[in-house]
Amino acid sequence: TRGAIAPTNTLGVPSVAAQSRALRVPVAVAGAKMGVELFGSQGSRSPLVNWYLYELGTPFEMAPRDRNPHPFGQVPCLKDGTVEIFESGAILLYLAQKYGGLSTPEAMADVTKWVVWANSALDPILFLENERGQVIGTRMTQNPKGIQVLEAMLGDGREWICGSTFSVADVAVGAYLLYMPQFFPDLDVSVWPNMSKYMLRCAQRPAYAKAYEKETPSIIAKCQSYLKK
């Protein structure tokens, strides 16, 4: 598959060794024609798409915002040849199918439900927004049922959302959870120890650190502090 790095596991993410090699390769080469263009900004949620692209080892370039084809002018938006996609979940699922080796409905089933859940259910738990889309609070202080279920699930011995293998589902869920230390630094996440350990595992991945370069040291430190309580 164009832009992918072998070997790739069954959930669409290269092995750790292949991933490490990929992170040593520049994302864009001067003068090279890039197939994947990402329209986004560090201050938005688009870096989670960068994270997955780095996990896959798929070459891409950050495109100028004035060429953004998103019909509402928002980010993230991705262009791959003639294909244009917006909404982070839709972008992740497209990349998983085209570059992650998840090319059948059966292969997509496990990850799709979690990517959709992250966007439709986890997002409104984590982020209360006003009419302008600005984050003004969180429902996490209420220990919502969805978080209780996630905490219990992460305590059943699994390392990642879909079991023992990291997947695009972890990018969708993990990225949203890791926004908590940034938006709500005073929130005591230690009350969910399994989730805290999971967040730390996600934040320590090389591809995450590459996508969230400036934020990662403080996020890791925060996650480690949750586990000391």
Side-chain angles (χ1 to χ4, degrees):
T1 303
R2 179 168 59 89
I5 288 182
T8 300
N9 60 48
T10 56
L11 286 179
V13 177
S15 65
V16 173
Q19 180 190 140
S20 298
R21 291 195 299 271
L23 293 178
R24 295 197 292 267
V25 179
V27 171
V29 179
K33 184 177 180 181
M34 305 297 289
V36 177
E37 296 178 285
L38 178 60
F39 300 84
S41 66
Q42 198 64 27
S44 70
R45 296 177 191 177
S46 61
L48 69 89
V49 179
N50 297 62
W51 178 13
Y52 189 45
L53 285 164
Y54 289 135
E55 293 280 1
L56 293 174
T58 300
F60 71 99
E61 63 179 355
M62 298 303 297
R65 292 282 294 275
D66 59 4
R67 292 199 292 108
N68 185 3
H70 195 304
F72 304 110
Q74 298 172 332
V75 294
C77 184
L78 183 136
K79 186 174 181 180
D80 186 12
T82 60
V83 176
E84 297 174 353
I85 321 154
F86 59 91
E87 293 297 328
S88 60
I91 294 171
L92 291 179
L93 292 174
Y94 169 81
L95 293 172
Q97 286 184 297
K98 183 163 184 181
Y99 298 102
L102 305 185
S103 57
T104 67
E106 292 79 10
M108 289 295 295
D110 279 350
V111 298
T112 298
K113 59 193 176 188
W114 286 107
V115 173
V116 173
W117 181 79
N119 283 70
S120 63
L122 182 59
D123 181 293
I125 289 175
L126 298 179
F127 311 111
L128 290 173
E129 299 181 348
N130 61 21
E131 63 278 1
R132 295 190 297 276
Q134 298 170 317
V135 176
I136 58 173
T138 179
R139 291 187 175 89
M140 291 294 288
T141 53
Q142 303 167 14
N143 192 22
K145 183 178 179 180
I147 296 301
Q148 294 177 41
V149 172
L150 183 63
E151 169 69 11
M153 189 192 76
L154 290 170
D156 68 3
R158 73 183 68 197
E159 185 176 9
W160 305 108
I161 291 294
C162 293
S164 61
T165 305
F166 182 90
S167 73
V168 67
D170 297 293
V171 174
V173 175
Y176 276 27
L177 292 176
L178 288 170
Y179 279 121
M180 282 194 295
Q182 300 179 61
F183 281 91
F184 314 111
D186 296 328
L187 181 67
D188 185 11
V189 182
S190 67
V191 297
W192 304 287
N194 297 321
M195 196 169 70
S196 297
K197 294 174 186 176
Y198 171 74
M199 290 168 61
L200 181 60
R201 289 195 294 273
C202 288
Q204 289 176 329
R205 293 186 69 86
Y208 180 86
K210 192 170 178 67
Y212 294 89
E213 185 176 2
K214 293 181 179 180
E215 300 88 347
T216 298
S218 62
I219 291 174
I220 288 178
K222 197 69 176 178
C223 290
Q224 290 172 332
S225 73
Y226 300 150
L227 299 175
K228 293 178 181 178
K229 293 184 179 182

